[in-house]
Structures are given as C-alpha cells and as structure tokens.
Amino acid sequence: PFLSFIFFVALTLGTRGNMDMSRGVRFSAQQAAALDIALLLPAIFGEGFQASDIPRYLAEPCSNFMWYTYMAAIVYCVYSNLQGKKPNQIPFISNYAENLVGPM
C-alpha cells in the first residue's frame, strides 16, 4: 500500500539535488510530482464534502473538468518530449518544477 508513496518521495527528493542526471530529466520528474500533487488535492477536497449531498449536476462537470485538464497536461508533456522540446508551458506547475530544479 505504500509503494506509490515511496515512489513519489523517491521521485521528488531523489532528483532534486542530483546533478548526475540531466536537467531535463530532473525537470520532468519534478513536474510529474507536481502533477501528482495537483491530482491529489481535488480528491482530498472532494472527500471532505462527501458527507454533504452535492447535486450531481455540479459534481459531474467538476470531475470531468479535472480529468480533461490532467489528460491535456499529460498529452502535452508526451507530445513535447517526442518533439524534443521541454514541456514547460503548463501554468503554475511548470514554474514550480523549474524553481525546484534550479538554474543548473
């Protein structure tokens, strides 16, 4: 049950100060970790409101929006990597990953 958490910690902390890896690999790992956090936060927020009855006409569009947003981010990252470009145009997440990787 803790394998995903161990993988997340290794991905986040293992690539942060490791200068043996290329900057692109470190950036991609940090961006993947940031996307994972961004995926987790709405789920935690939704669990908090699970006891109250949220109307279905509000819950479903919100859930669909989050899924489409994450799929678009993943498709963009894969497409950019296949083109040989750094996928650094995801708002907030790319800037966060860029700051974690640092200038080198």
Side-chain angles (χ1 to χ4, degrees):
F2 293 111
L3 184 62
S4 60
F5 178 71
I6 292 169
F7 181 69
F8 173 76
V9 169
L11 190 67
T12 305
L13 298 178
T15 60
R16 187 173 286 178
N18 191 352
M19 295 299 174
D20 294 335
M21 294 178 162
S22 71
R23 189 174 192 288
V25 171
R26 289 184 288 139
F27 174 80
S28 293
Q30 292 299 327
Q31 188 165 340
L35 278 171
D36 192 29
I37 291 170
L39 178 67
L40 184 65
L41 290 178
I44 292 172
F45 187 70
E47 289 291 325
F49 285 108
Q50 194 171 18
S52 64
D53 260 345
I54 296 177
R56 193 171 187 169
Y57 66 88
L58 290 176
E60 282 186 15
C62 291
S63 178
N64 289 344
F65 174 76
M66 294 306 298
W67 190 85
Y68 289 133
T69 302
Y70 292 128
M71 284 298 112
I74 291 169
V75 168
Y76 165 72
C77 290
V78 169
Y79 180 75
S80 293
N81 283 322
L82 290 175
Q83 296 292 321
K85 300 176 187 173
K86 185 166 79 168
N88 60 353
Q89 298 298 318
I90 299 174
F92 304 111
I93 292 175
S94 293
N95 292 335
Y96 178 74
E98 196 75 45
N99 288 337
L100 286 178
V101 170
M104 299 279 188

